[in-house]
Amino acid sequence: MLLAASCRLGNTADALAIHLQNDRDQGISGPLNAQLSHQLHRSGANPGDDVLCATLKIQNTSNQPQQVELSFVSSAGPSPEVTEQNLYLPLNVAGFTHDKRFASLGMEDFLGDCNVELTKQNLDCHYLEPMASCPGQRKTRALLLVPVVDISSPSRPWRIGLFTESDKPMRFRSTVTDDGNRVWQIGRVATVGPGETIEQSCWLMVHSGDASVAWKAFHQFAHHDPYPPIDWTQEFKVHYYDFLSSAGGEHGVRGDGYDADMKHFRAFHVGMATQHGYYPHLGDFIHPDRKTWLAMQGSEHGPATMSLETMARRIKETQSTGAKAAIYMHLTLFDDASTLFPELQACRRVDPDGKPMRFPWSGPDVQGQCWWMSIASQQWRDHLLEQARWIMEILQPDAICMDETFAGVGYDEAPERTGPISPHAIGFFKEMHSLVRSFGEDKAVFTSDCSRSAFCLWADGDVGDHAYGSSLGNPLYRQEPVRYLAALGNKAWRPCAWHFRHMWEPQMDLARQVGSGVGVSNGWIEYTGLYDLPTKDRDKLIRDIESLL
Protein backbone atom coordinates (compact mmCIF):
# COMPACT_ATOMS: atom_id res chain seq x y z
CA MET A 1 0.00 0.00 0.00
CA LEU A 2 1.58 3.22 -1.14
CA LEU A 3 -1.13 5.52 0.24
CA ALA A 4 -4.51 3.89 0.88
CA ALA A 5 -7.38 5.11 3.07
CA SER A 6 -10.20 3.86 5.23
CA CYS A 7 -13.05 5.20 7.32
CA ARG A 8 -15.77 3.89 9.60
CA LEU A 9 -18.34 5.13 12.08
CA GLY A 10 -16.34 6.02 15.16
CA ASN A 11 -19.05 5.50 17.77
CA THR A 12 -19.79 1.86 16.87
CA ALA A 13 -17.21 -0.79 17.72
CA ASP A 14 -18.52 -3.30 15.15
CA ALA A 15 -19.05 -0.81 12.33
CA LEU A 16 -17.80 -2.03 8.96
CA ALA A 17 -14.89 -0.02 7.60
CA ILE A 18 -14.63 1.25 4.06
CA HIS A 19 -11.20 0.40 2.62
CA LEU A 20 -10.01 2.30 -0.45
CA GLN A 21 -6.68 1.73 -2.16
CA ASN A 22 -6.70 2.94 -5.76
CA ASP A 23 -7.45 6.25 -7.41
CA ARG A 24 -11.23 6.82 -7.68
CA ASP A 25 -12.09 3.89 -5.41
CA GLN A 26 -15.50 4.35 -3.73
CA GLY A 27 -17.32 2.65 -0.89
CA ILE A 28 -20.49 2.77 1.19
CA SER A 29 -21.08 1.70 4.80
CA GLY A 30 -24.31 2.73 6.51
CA PRO A 31 -24.73 6.51 6.15
CA LEU A 32 -21.14 6.99 4.92
CA ASN A 33 -20.15 7.39 1.29
CA ALA A 34 -16.40 7.57 0.74
CA GLN A 35 -14.17 8.22 -2.25
CA LEU A 36 -10.39 8.24 -2.63
CA SER A 37 -8.44 10.16 -5.25
CA HIS A 38 -4.71 10.40 -5.95
CA GLN A 39 -2.66 13.11 -7.61
CA LEU A 40 1.07 13.39 -8.33
CA HIS A 41 2.96 16.63 -7.75
CA ARG A 42 6.46 17.97 -8.25
CA SER A 43 8.00 19.74 -5.27
CA GLY A 44 11.09 20.90 -7.09
CA ALA A 45 13.33 19.10 -4.60
CA ASN A 46 14.00 16.14 -6.89
CA PRO A 47 13.67 15.53 -10.62
CA GLY A 48 10.21 14.28 -11.61
CA ASP A 49 7.07 13.63 -9.60
CA ASP A 50 8.04 13.18 -5.96
CA VAL A 51 4.86 13.91 -3.97
CA LEU A 52 1.71 11.78 -3.99
CA CYS A 53 -1.43 13.38 -2.57
CA ALA A 54 -4.32 11.18 -1.44
CA THR A 55 -7.65 12.91 -0.76
CA LEU A 56 -10.45 11.15 1.08
CA LYS A 57 -13.97 12.53 0.68
CA ILE A 58 -16.57 11.36 3.21
CA GLN A 59 -20.27 12.16 2.87
CA ASN A 60 -22.82 11.70 5.64
CA THR A 61 -26.12 10.87 3.94
CA SER A 62 -28.10 10.79 7.19
CA ASN A 63 -29.96 13.60 8.96
CA GLN A 64 -27.82 13.15 12.08
CA PRO A 65 -24.20 14.13 12.77
CA GLN A 66 -21.84 11.16 12.57
CA GLN A 67 -18.51 10.61 14.29
CA VAL A 68 -16.10 9.09 11.79
CA GLU A 69 -12.69 7.51 12.16
CA LEU A 70 -10.62 8.22 9.06
CA SER A 71 -7.11 7.14 8.29
CA PHE A 72 -4.50 6.88 5.57
CA VAL A 73 -2.38 3.75 5.43
CA SER A 74 1.08 3.37 3.90
CA SER A 75 3.67 0.61 3.94
CA ALA A 76 6.17 2.72 1.99
CA GLY A 77 9.57 2.91 3.61
CA PRO A 78 13.20 3.64 2.78
CA SER A 79 14.20 0.06 3.63
CA PRO A 80 12.45 -3.32 3.82
CA GLU A 81 14.24 -3.93 7.12
CA VAL A 82 11.78 -2.67 9.73
CA THR A 83 14.45 -2.13 12.39
CA GLU A 84 16.72 -0.17 10.05
CA GLN A 85 14.43 2.81 9.92
CA ASN A 86 14.78 6.12 11.72
CA LEU A 87 12.57 9.17 12.14
CA TYR A 88 13.38 12.83 12.32
CA LEU A 89 10.49 14.55 14.08
CA PRO A 90 9.78 18.30 14.51
CA LEU A 91 9.27 17.86 18.25
CA ASN A 92 8.00 20.38 20.77
CA VAL A 93 10.95 21.45 22.94
CA ALA A 94 8.89 20.79 26.08
CA GLY A 95 10.39 17.30 25.96
CA PHE A 96 13.89 18.39 26.92
CA THR A 97 12.97 21.55 28.85
CA HIS A 98 10.49 19.60 31.04
CA ASP A 99 7.94 22.36 30.58
CA LYS A 100 5.23 21.64 33.16
CA ARG A 101 2.73 23.77 31.24
CA PHE A 102 2.34 20.73 28.95
CA ALA A 103 1.80 18.26 31.82
CA SER A 104 -1.76 17.43 30.74
CA LEU A 105 -0.44 16.21 27.36
CA GLY A 106 2.17 13.86 28.85
CA MET A 107 5.17 16.17 29.24
CA GLU A 108 7.09 13.78 31.52
CA ASP A 109 7.29 11.19 28.74
CA PHE A 110 7.80 13.53 25.77
CA LEU A 111 10.64 12.71 23.43
CA GLY A 112 13.23 15.47 23.30
CA ASP A 113 15.67 14.29 20.63
CA CYS A 114 14.30 14.73 17.10
CA ASN A 115 16.18 11.61 15.99
CA VAL A 116 14.20 8.48 16.80
CA GLU A 117 15.24 4.91 16.05
CA LEU A 118 12.21 2.83 15.14
CA THR A 119 11.78 -0.57 16.80
CA LYS A 120 9.13 -3.24 16.49
CA GLN A 121 7.10 -1.46 19.17
CA ASN A 122 4.23 0.85 18.19
CA LEU A 123 5.02 4.56 18.17
CA ASP A 124 2.38 7.29 18.24
CA CYS A 125 3.13 10.88 17.25
CA HIS A 126 0.52 13.61 17.63
CA TYR A 127 0.05 16.99 16.00
CA LEU A 128 -1.86 19.20 18.46
CA GLU A 129 -3.48 17.62 21.52
CA PRO A 130 -3.74 13.80 21.37
CA MET A 131 -7.38 14.08 22.39
CA ALA A 132 -8.06 16.35 19.40
CA SER A 133 -7.38 13.53 16.96
CA CYS A 134 -8.19 10.55 19.22
CA PRO A 135 -10.91 11.40 21.79
CA GLY A 136 -9.88 8.53 24.08
CA GLN A 137 -6.19 9.46 24.18
CA ARG A 138 -5.06 12.40 26.32
CA LYS A 139 -1.28 11.97 26.36
CA THR A 140 1.52 11.37 23.87
CA ARG A 141 5.25 10.71 23.76
CA ALA A 142 5.89 12.67 20.58
CA LEU A 143 4.20 16.08 20.38
CA LEU A 144 4.80 17.47 16.89
CA LEU A 145 5.06 21.14 15.97
CA VAL A 146 3.73 20.37 12.48
CA PRO A 147 2.07 17.21 11.08
CA VAL A 148 5.15 15.78 9.35
CA VAL A 149 7.20 12.63 9.91
CA ASP A 150 10.36 11.92 7.91
CA ILE A 151 11.57 8.30 7.64
CA SER A 152 15.10 7.28 6.70
CA SER A 153 17.47 4.31 6.73
CA PRO A 154 21.21 4.51 7.37
CA SER A 155 21.84 2.12 4.46
CA ARG A 156 19.61 3.76 1.84
CA PRO A 157 19.78 7.18 0.09
CA TRP A 158 16.04 7.79 -0.21
CA ARG A 159 13.70 9.06 2.49
CA ILE A 160 9.93 9.03 2.92
CA GLY A 161 8.04 12.08 4.21
CA LEU A 162 4.41 11.84 5.33
CA PHE A 163 2.40 14.96 6.13
CA THR A 164 -1.15 16.28 6.43
CA GLU A 165 -2.96 19.63 6.51
CA SER A 166 -1.90 22.33 8.94
CA ASP A 167 -5.27 23.12 10.51
CA LYS A 168 -6.38 19.60 11.47
CA PRO A 169 -5.15 17.51 14.42
CA MET A 170 -3.58 14.20 13.46
CA ARG A 171 -2.09 11.03 14.88
CA PHE A 172 0.80 9.29 13.08
CA ARG A 173 1.12 5.66 14.21
CA SER A 174 3.91 3.27 13.23
CA THR A 175 3.22 -0.45 13.70
CA VAL A 176 4.88 -3.68 12.64
CA THR A 177 2.45 -6.32 11.38
CA ASP A 178 2.58 -10.02 12.23
CA ASP A 179 4.21 -10.73 8.86
CA GLY A 180 7.02 -8.28 9.60
CA ASN A 181 5.99 -5.21 7.59
CA ARG A 182 6.06 -1.67 8.94
CA VAL A 183 2.80 0.18 8.36
CA TRP A 184 1.98 3.83 8.99
CA GLN A 185 -1.56 4.85 9.92
CA ILE A 186 -2.27 8.58 9.77
CA GLY A 187 -5.69 9.51 11.04
CA ARG A 188 -8.14 11.25 13.30
CA VAL A 189 -11.74 11.22 14.45
CA ALA A 190 -13.97 13.83 12.82
CA THR A 191 -17.61 14.81 13.14
CA VAL A 192 -19.50 15.01 9.85
CA GLY A 193 -22.72 17.03 9.98
CA PRO A 194 -26.06 15.94 8.46
CA GLY A 195 -25.71 15.85 4.68
CA GLU A 196 -22.19 17.26 4.96
CA THR A 197 -19.12 16.18 2.99
CA ILE A 198 -15.64 16.56 4.46
CA GLU A 199 -12.25 16.15 2.81
CA GLN A 200 -8.95 15.12 4.32
CA SER A 201 -5.67 14.89 2.46
CA CYS A 202 -2.38 13.17 3.16
CA TRP A 203 0.86 13.52 1.21
CA LEU A 204 3.70 11.02 0.71
CA MET A 205 7.02 12.38 -0.49
CA VAL A 206 10.13 10.61 -1.74
CA HIS A 207 13.33 12.66 -1.42
CA SER A 208 17.06 12.41 -0.79
CA GLY A 209 17.67 15.42 1.47
CA ASP A 210 17.15 15.84 5.19
CA ALA A 211 13.84 16.29 7.04
CA SER A 212 13.68 19.96 6.11
CA VAL A 213 12.86 18.92 2.53
CA ALA A 214 9.63 17.34 3.76
CA TRP A 215 8.96 20.42 5.92
CA LYS A 216 9.22 22.65 2.87
CA ALA A 217 6.85 20.40 0.95
CA PHE A 218 4.39 20.61 3.85
CA HIS A 219 4.35 24.40 3.54
CA GLN A 220 4.06 24.15 -0.24
CA PHE A 221 1.16 21.69 -0.39
CA ALA A 222 -0.53 21.34 3.03
CA HIS A 223 -0.61 24.87 4.44
CA HIS A 224 -2.52 27.75 2.88
CA ASP A 225 -1.59 31.31 3.82
CA PRO A 226 -4.14 33.79 2.41
CA TYR A 227 -1.85 36.82 2.81
CA PRO A 228 1.30 37.67 0.86
CA PRO A 229 4.52 37.97 2.88
CA ILE A 230 5.54 41.39 4.19
CA ASP A 231 9.01 42.42 3.04
CA TRP A 232 10.04 44.36 6.12
CA THR A 233 9.49 41.38 8.44
CA GLN A 234 12.38 39.65 6.66
CA GLU A 235 14.65 42.65 6.26
CA PHE A 236 15.53 43.49 9.86
CA LYS A 237 17.71 41.42 12.19
CA VAL A 238 17.48 43.13 15.59
CA HIS A 239 14.35 43.20 17.76
CA TYR A 240 14.29 45.52 20.80
CA TYR A 241 11.90 44.59 23.61
CA ASP A 242 11.14 47.01 26.44
CA PHE A 243 9.41 45.93 29.64
CA LEU A 244 8.55 49.54 30.55
CA SER A 245 12.09 49.90 31.85
CA SER A 246 13.69 52.71 33.81
CA ALA A 247 16.45 55.00 32.61
CA GLY A 248 17.70 54.70 36.18
CA GLY A 249 18.36 50.98 35.85
CA GLU A 250 17.01 48.12 37.95
CA HIS A 251 16.16 50.26 40.98
CA GLY A 252 14.67 53.26 39.20
CA VAL A 253 10.99 54.06 38.67
CA ARG A 254 9.91 52.47 35.42
CA GLY A 255 8.65 54.35 32.41
CA ASP A 256 11.48 56.23 30.69
CA GLY A 257 13.93 53.49 29.66
CA TYR A 258 12.45 53.16 26.18
CA ASP A 259 13.19 56.82 25.41
CA ALA A 260 16.76 56.46 26.67
CA ASP A 261 17.34 53.37 24.53
CA MET A 262 15.63 54.81 21.44
CA LYS A 263 18.52 57.21 20.91
CA HIS A 264 20.69 54.15 20.18
CA PHE A 265 18.35 52.27 17.83
CA ARG A 266 20.22 53.31 14.70
CA ALA A 267 23.62 52.36 16.12
CA PHE A 268 22.37 48.88 17.04
CA HIS A 269 20.42 48.50 13.76
CA VAL A 270 17.16 47.94 15.63
CA GLY A 271 14.57 46.97 13.04
CA MET A 272 11.56 46.59 15.33
CA ALA A 273 10.90 47.85 18.85
CA THR A 274 8.09 46.45 21.01
CA GLN A 275 6.40 48.22 23.92
CA HIS A 276 5.68 45.71 26.71
CA GLY A 277 4.48 46.38 30.26
CA TYR A 278 2.64 49.59 29.30
CA TYR A 279 -0.83 48.33 30.36
CA PRO A 280 -2.63 48.91 33.68
CA HIS A 281 -3.38 45.18 33.96
CA LEU A 282 -2.43 42.13 31.95
CA GLY A 283 -5.34 41.22 29.69
CA ASP A 284 -6.79 44.73 30.01
CA PHE A 285 -4.31 46.42 27.72
CA ILE A 286 -6.04 49.48 26.31
CA HIS A 287 -9.36 51.35 26.19
CA PRO A 288 -10.20 54.39 24.04
CA ASP A 289 -11.70 56.21 27.04
CA ARG A 290 -8.66 55.61 29.24
CA LYS A 291 -6.22 58.34 28.24
CA THR A 292 -3.83 57.96 31.16
CA TRP A 293 -3.26 55.24 33.75
CA LEU A 294 -0.81 53.71 36.16
CA ALA A 295 1.28 50.83 34.81
CA MET A 296 3.65 48.46 36.64
CA GLN A 297 1.46 48.64 39.71
CA GLY A 298 3.29 45.71 41.31
CA SER A 299 6.72 47.31 41.10
CA GLU A 300 8.49 47.72 44.43
CA HIS A 301 9.78 51.10 43.21
CA GLY A 302 6.32 52.46 42.50
CA PRO A 303 4.07 52.55 39.44
CA ALA A 304 4.73 54.39 36.19
CA THR A 305 2.41 56.94 34.64
CA MET A 306 1.47 55.94 31.10
CA SER A 307 -0.83 57.40 28.45
CA LEU A 308 -2.08 56.83 24.93
CA GLU A 309 -0.17 59.95 23.93
CA THR A 310 3.13 58.56 25.26
CA MET A 311 2.67 55.25 23.47
CA ALA A 312 1.67 56.91 20.18
CA ARG A 313 4.61 59.32 20.41
CA ARG A 314 7.04 56.45 20.91
CA ILE A 315 5.63 54.67 17.87
CA LYS A 316 6.17 57.73 15.67
CA GLU A 317 9.63 58.42 17.05
CA THR A 318 10.60 54.76 16.63
CA GLN A 319 9.49 54.91 13.01
CA SER A 320 11.55 58.06 12.53
CA THR A 321 14.67 56.05 13.45
CA GLY A 322 13.93 53.69 10.55
CA ALA A 323 12.57 50.91 12.79
CA LYS A 324 9.09 49.43 12.94
CA ALA A 325 7.04 49.79 16.13
CA ALA A 326 5.10 46.95 17.76
CA ILE A 327 2.74 46.57 20.71
CA TYR A 328 2.66 43.59 23.07
CA MET A 329 -0.34 41.43 23.93
CA HIS A 330 -0.65 38.14 25.81
CA LEU A 331 -2.82 35.24 24.67
CA THR A 332 -4.02 34.02 28.04
CA LEU A 333 -2.90 36.06 31.08
CA PHE A 334 -5.46 38.13 32.96
CA ASP A 335 -4.87 40.12 36.16
CA ASP A 336 -7.94 39.96 38.40
CA ALA A 337 -7.24 43.49 39.70
CA SER A 338 -8.74 44.78 36.45
CA THR A 339 -12.25 46.19 36.66
CA LEU A 340 -13.09 43.86 33.73
CA PHE A 341 -12.49 40.74 35.80
CA PRO A 342 -16.08 40.25 37.06
CA GLU A 343 -17.47 40.13 33.52
CA LEU A 344 -14.65 37.92 32.17
CA GLN A 345 -13.97 35.55 35.07
CA ALA A 346 -16.17 32.84 33.51
CA CYS A 347 -13.61 32.69 30.66
CA ARG A 348 -10.97 31.20 32.95
CA ARG A 349 -9.57 27.86 31.92
CA VAL A 350 -10.59 25.02 34.23
CA ASP A 351 -8.38 22.15 35.42
CA PRO A 352 -9.38 18.47 35.86
CA ASP A 353 -10.41 19.19 39.47
CA GLY A 354 -12.96 21.73 38.24
CA LYS A 355 -10.99 24.74 39.50
CA PRO A 356 -9.97 27.84 37.51
CA MET A 357 -6.30 27.69 36.62
CA ARG A 358 -3.90 30.20 38.16
CA PHE A 359 -1.01 31.33 35.96
CA PRO A 360 2.31 31.43 37.85
CA TRP A 361 3.38 34.96 36.99
CA SER A 362 3.62 37.73 39.57
CA GLY A 363 5.97 40.28 38.01
CA PRO A 364 5.99 44.04 38.47
CA ASP A 365 3.19 44.40 35.89
CA VAL A 366 0.77 42.41 38.10
CA GLN A 367 -1.36 44.00 40.80
CA GLY A 368 -3.63 41.10 41.69
CA GLN A 369 -3.68 37.38 40.82
CA CYS A 370 -3.03 36.16 37.28
CA TRP A 371 -5.37 33.60 35.72
CA TRP A 372 -5.05 31.33 32.72
CA MET A 373 -7.85 32.40 30.39
CA SER A 374 -9.25 29.94 27.86
CA ILE A 375 -8.94 30.61 24.16
CA ALA A 376 -11.83 28.12 23.85
CA SER A 377 -14.06 30.85 25.31
CA GLN A 378 -15.76 32.89 22.60
CA GLN A 379 -16.07 35.81 25.03
CA TRP A 380 -12.32 35.82 25.68
CA ARG A 381 -11.50 35.60 21.97
CA ASP A 382 -13.85 38.50 21.26
CA HIS A 383 -12.22 40.50 24.06
CA LEU A 384 -8.71 39.98 22.65
CA LEU A 385 -9.82 40.91 19.14
CA GLU A 386 -11.45 44.09 20.46
CA GLN A 387 -8.25 44.97 22.31
CA ALA A 388 -6.24 44.38 19.12
CA ARG A 389 -8.61 46.55 17.08
CA TRP A 390 -8.27 49.43 19.56
CA ILE A 391 -4.48 49.10 19.49
CA MET A 392 -4.42 49.29 15.71
CA GLU A 393 -6.97 52.13 15.49
CA ILE A 394 -5.67 54.35 18.28
CA LEU A 395 -1.92 53.76 18.31
CA GLN A 396 -1.37 52.74 14.67
CA PRO A 397 1.67 50.48 15.21
CA ASP A 398 3.31 48.41 12.51
CA ALA A 399 2.72 45.13 14.33
CA ILE A 400 1.21 43.33 17.30
CA CYS A 401 3.33 40.74 19.12
CA MET A 402 1.26 38.04 20.83
CA ASP A 403 3.14 36.41 23.70
CA GLU A 404 3.18 32.79 24.92
CA THR A 405 1.01 31.39 22.18
CA PHE A 406 1.80 27.86 23.41
CA ALA A 407 -1.19 28.53 25.70
CA GLY A 408 -3.35 27.68 22.68
CA VAL A 409 -2.50 23.98 23.08
CA GLY A 410 -4.03 22.01 25.94
CA TYR A 411 -7.34 21.10 27.51
CA ASP A 412 -10.12 23.11 29.13
CA GLU A 413 -12.32 21.16 31.55
CA ALA A 414 -15.08 23.79 31.85
CA PRO A 415 -18.39 21.91 31.36
CA GLU A 416 -19.56 24.10 28.48
CA ARG A 417 -16.27 23.80 26.52
CA THR A 418 -14.60 20.58 27.68
CA GLY A 419 -11.87 19.34 25.40
CA PRO A 420 -8.86 20.45 23.32
CA ILE A 421 -8.44 24.19 22.84
CA SER A 422 -6.20 24.25 19.74
CA PRO A 423 -9.09 24.31 17.21
CA HIS A 424 -10.27 27.54 18.85
CA ALA A 425 -6.73 28.93 18.88
CA ILE A 426 -6.28 28.28 15.17
CA GLY A 427 -9.58 30.04 14.46
CA PHE A 428 -8.52 32.95 16.67
CA PHE A 429 -5.18 33.46 14.92
CA LYS A 430 -6.85 33.37 11.53
CA GLU A 431 -9.21 36.13 12.73
CA MET A 432 -6.35 38.07 14.34
CA HIS A 433 -4.30 37.93 11.16
CA SER A 434 -7.27 39.14 9.12
CA LEU A 435 -7.98 41.96 11.57
CA VAL A 436 -4.44 43.33 11.59
CA ARG A 437 -4.06 43.07 7.80
CA SER A 438 -7.29 45.06 7.42
CA PHE A 439 -5.31 48.09 8.68
CA GLY A 440 -2.79 47.82 5.85
CA GLU A 441 -1.00 45.32 3.66
CA ASP A 442 2.22 45.94 5.60
CA LYS A 443 0.73 45.47 9.10
CA ALA A 444 1.99 42.32 10.80
CA VAL A 445 1.11 39.86 13.54
CA PHE A 446 3.93 38.03 15.31
CA THR A 447 3.36 35.01 17.51
CA SER A 448 5.79 33.61 20.05
CA ASP A 449 7.38 30.33 21.12
CA CYS A 450 7.52 28.64 17.71
CA SER A 451 9.52 25.84 19.34
CA ARG A 452 6.49 25.02 21.54
CA SER A 453 3.56 25.68 19.20
CA ALA A 454 3.08 26.36 15.51
CA PHE A 455 0.58 29.23 15.52
CA CYS A 456 3.15 31.22 13.54
CA LEU A 457 1.57 29.34 10.62
CA TRP A 458 -1.24 31.91 10.85
CA ALA A 459 0.97 34.94 11.48
CA ASP A 460 3.78 36.85 9.78
CA GLY A 461 6.62 35.54 11.92
CA ASP A 462 7.64 34.74 15.47
CA VAL A 463 9.22 36.83 18.25
CA GLY A 464 9.26 34.58 21.31
CA ASP A 465 11.98 34.58 23.94
CA HIS A 466 14.33 31.60 23.93
CA ALA A 467 17.41 33.13 25.57
CA TYR A 468 17.69 30.68 28.46
CA GLY A 469 20.03 27.84 29.27
CA SER A 470 17.14 25.37 29.26
CA SER A 471 16.20 26.16 25.66
CA LEU A 472 18.72 28.05 23.51
CA GLY A 473 21.51 26.75 25.76
CA ASN A 474 20.61 23.09 25.18
CA PRO A 475 22.37 21.49 22.17
CA LEU A 476 19.10 19.80 21.17
CA TYR A 477 17.54 23.23 20.58
CA ARG A 478 19.92 23.80 17.66
CA GLN A 479 19.91 20.21 16.40
CA GLU A 480 20.02 20.11 12.57
CA PRO A 481 17.69 20.57 10.87
CA VAL A 482 16.40 22.98 13.53
CA ARG A 483 12.92 21.88 14.56
CA TYR A 484 11.15 25.23 14.75
CA LEU A 485 11.92 25.89 11.07
CA ALA A 486 9.31 23.20 10.36
CA ALA A 487 6.69 25.59 11.71
CA LEU A 488 8.14 28.87 10.42
CA GLY A 489 8.82 27.85 6.83
CA ASN A 490 10.03 31.07 5.19
CA LYS A 491 8.63 33.39 7.87
CA ALA A 492 10.83 35.57 10.03
CA TRP A 493 12.17 34.47 13.43
CA ARG A 494 13.09 37.67 15.26
CA PRO A 495 13.24 36.78 18.96
CA CYS A 496 13.02 39.01 21.94
CA ALA A 497 15.59 38.14 24.61
CA TRP A 498 15.51 39.14 28.27
CA HIS A 499 18.87 37.39 28.76
CA PHE A 500 20.24 39.20 25.74
CA ARG A 501 23.78 39.83 27.03
CA HIS A 502 24.15 36.64 29.05
CA MET A 503 23.01 34.51 26.08
CA TRP A 504 24.55 36.70 23.39
CA GLU A 505 26.96 34.13 21.94
CA PRO A 506 24.29 31.40 21.59
CA GLN A 507 21.96 34.00 20.08
CA MET A 508 24.55 34.94 17.50
CA ASP A 509 25.48 31.33 16.78
CA LEU A 510 21.86 30.43 16.06
CA ALA A 511 21.29 33.57 13.99
CA ARG A 512 24.24 32.60 11.80
CA GLN A 513 23.15 28.97 11.69
CA VAL A 514 19.59 29.53 10.46
CA GLY A 515 19.43 33.17 9.35
CA SER A 516 17.29 34.33 12.25
CA GLY A 517 17.71 37.57 14.17
CA VAL A 518 18.76 38.53 17.69
CA GLY A 519 16.97 40.21 20.56
CA VAL A 520 18.05 43.14 22.73
CA SER A 521 15.98 44.34 25.66
CA ASN A 522 15.58 46.31 28.85
CA GLY A 523 13.55 46.00 32.03
CA TRP A 524 13.53 42.30 32.93
CA ILE A 525 16.45 40.11 34.08
CA GLU A 526 18.88 42.58 32.50
CA TYR A 527 18.55 46.33 33.05
CA THR A 528 21.35 48.07 31.15
CA GLY A 529 19.35 48.28 27.93
CA LEU A 530 21.28 49.91 25.10
CA TYR A 531 22.01 53.28 26.70
CA ASP A 532 24.07 52.05 29.64
CA LEU A 533 26.31 49.40 28.08
CA PRO A 534 30.04 49.50 28.76
CA THR A 535 31.86 50.77 25.68
CA LYS A 536 33.67 47.48 25.09
CA ASP A 537 30.42 45.48 25.21
CA ARG A 538 28.59 48.01 23.07
CA ASP A 539 31.23 47.88 20.36
CA LYS A 540 31.29 44.07 20.30
CA LEU A 541 27.49 43.79 20.06
CA ILE A 542 27.38 46.27 17.18
CA ARG A 543 30.16 44.44 15.33
CA ASP A 544 28.35 41.13 15.78
CA ILE A 545 25.05 42.60 14.59
CA GLU A 546 26.69 44.11 11.53
CA SER A 547 28.06 40.67 10.64
CA LEU A 548 24.44 39.52 10.21
CA LEU A 549 23.39 42.35 7.91
Side-chain angles (χ1 to χ4, degrees), residues 142-189:
L143 186 61
L144 306 177
L145 292 173
V146 293
V148 186
V149 298
D150 194 69
I151 315 159
S152 64
S153 170
S155 63
R156 305 296 173 104
W158 294 99
R159 302 170 73 114
I160 301 293
L162 292 165
F163 56 91
T164 59
E165 292 145 299
S166 60
D167 58 354
K168 302 292 191 299
M170 196 62 63
R171 181 185 69 184
F172 294 75
R173 169 170 284 180
S174 171
T175 63
V176 176
T177 62
D178 292 339
D179 56 359
N181 292 316
R182 184 173 299 281
V183 175
W184 281 91
Q185 296 171 308
I186 304 104
R188 66 186 180 96
V189 173

Side-chain angles (χ1 to χ4, degrees), residues 38-53:
H38 287 112
Q39 187 173 8
L40 281 169
H41 298 279
R42 295 184 179 186
S43 73
N46 296 311
D49 299 317
D50 58 353
V51 179
L52 175 66
C53 176

Side-chain angles (χ1 to χ4, degrees), residues 250-527:
E250 182 176 1
H251 303 294
V253 176
R254 293 172 176 269
D256 54 358
Y258 188 106
D259 294 327
D261 283 336
M262 196 184 338
K263 298 172 185 177
H264 304 271
F265 282 0
R266 288 188 186 275
F268 282 85
H269 303 277
V270 170
M272 185 171 79
T274 298
Q275 294 187 58
H276 181 4
Y278 60 87
Y279 37 79
H281 300 101
L282 269 163
D284 178 8
F285 300 104
I286 192 173
H287 194 283
D289 296 333
R290 187 169 58 216
K291 307 300 183 185
T292 62
W293 60 90
L294 293 179
M296 290 291 177
Q297 297 187 63
S299 173
E300 61 180 305
H301 306 296
T305 300
M306 278 299 292
S307 68
L308 295 177
E309 186 279 329
T310 298
M311 295 183 71
R313 173 184 59 78
R314 287 179 175 170
I315 287 171
K316 290 181 179 178
E317 291 181 358
T318 296
Q319 292 166 338
S320 72
T321 71
K324 300 297 183 179
I327 299 296
Y328 169 97
M329 292 182 66
H330 196 288
L331 186 68
T332 195
L333 277 185
F334 194 49
D335 182 349
D336 63 13
S338 167
T339 57
L340 297 178
F341 181 71
E343 64 183 85
L344 291 170
Q345 61 179 323
C347 305
R348 288 177 293 179
R349 196 165 152 190
V350 173
D351 67 17
D353 295 327
K355 297 178 180 179
M357 295 173 61
R358 297 175 183 266
F359 198 104
W361 170 251
S362 56
D365 58 336
V366 176
Q367 185 180 14
Q369 166 67 50
C370 274
W371 297 93
W372 197 313
M373 308 301 280
S374 176
I375 202 66
S377 165
Q378 181 70 56
Q379 186 182 5
W380 179 248
R381 296 196 301 274
D382 290 344
H383 168 72
L384 290 179
L385 290 170
E386 181 181 58
Q387 293 278 297
R389 180 176 295 280
W390 285 338
I391 286 171
M392 297 303 296
E393 287 176 346
I394 298 168
L395 300 177
Q396 301 179 17
D398 298 292
I400 288 178
C401 297
M402 185 68 73
D403 195 13
E404 295 191 329
T405 56
F406 62 78
V409 179
Y411 303 120
D412 187 354
E413 309 294 345
E416 68 277 16
R417 49 179 192 265
T418 299
I421 62 176
S422 62
H424 307 284
I426 291 172
F428 168 77
F429 281 109
K430 288 180 178 179
E431 288 190 74
M432 183 75 170
H433 205 182
S434 175
L435 170 67
V436 173
R437 281 294 180 104
S438 73
F439 286 88
E441 295 180 356
D442 62 344
K443 302 298 184 182
V445 174
F446 290 91
T447 55
S448 68
D449 304 286
C450 58
S451 59
R452 286 176 169 81
S453 65
F455 297 115
C456 57
L457 287 164
W458 299 280
D460 299 295
D462 195 275
V463 295
D465 186 10
H466 63 173
Y468 302 98
S470 60
S471 50
L472 180 59
N474 190 315
L476 288 176
Y477 191 86
R478 294 162 52 189
Q479 183 181 23
E480 288 279 9
V482 178
R483 63 190 76 198
Y484 64 71
L485 297 180
L488 280 170
N490 293 323
K491 294 178 180 177
W493 167 231
R494 302 295 182 260
C496 76
W498 299 125
H499 258 310
F500 91 90
R501 293 178 65 193
H502 176 71
M503 297 294 292
W504 185 254
E505 294 305 325
Q507 277 206 85
M508 284 297 304
D509 287 346
L510 185 63
R512 293 182 178 121
Q513 180 182 351
V514 300
S516 62
V518 293
V520 296
S521 63
N522 199 355
W524 182 247
I525 298 179
E526 297 182 10
Y527 299 89

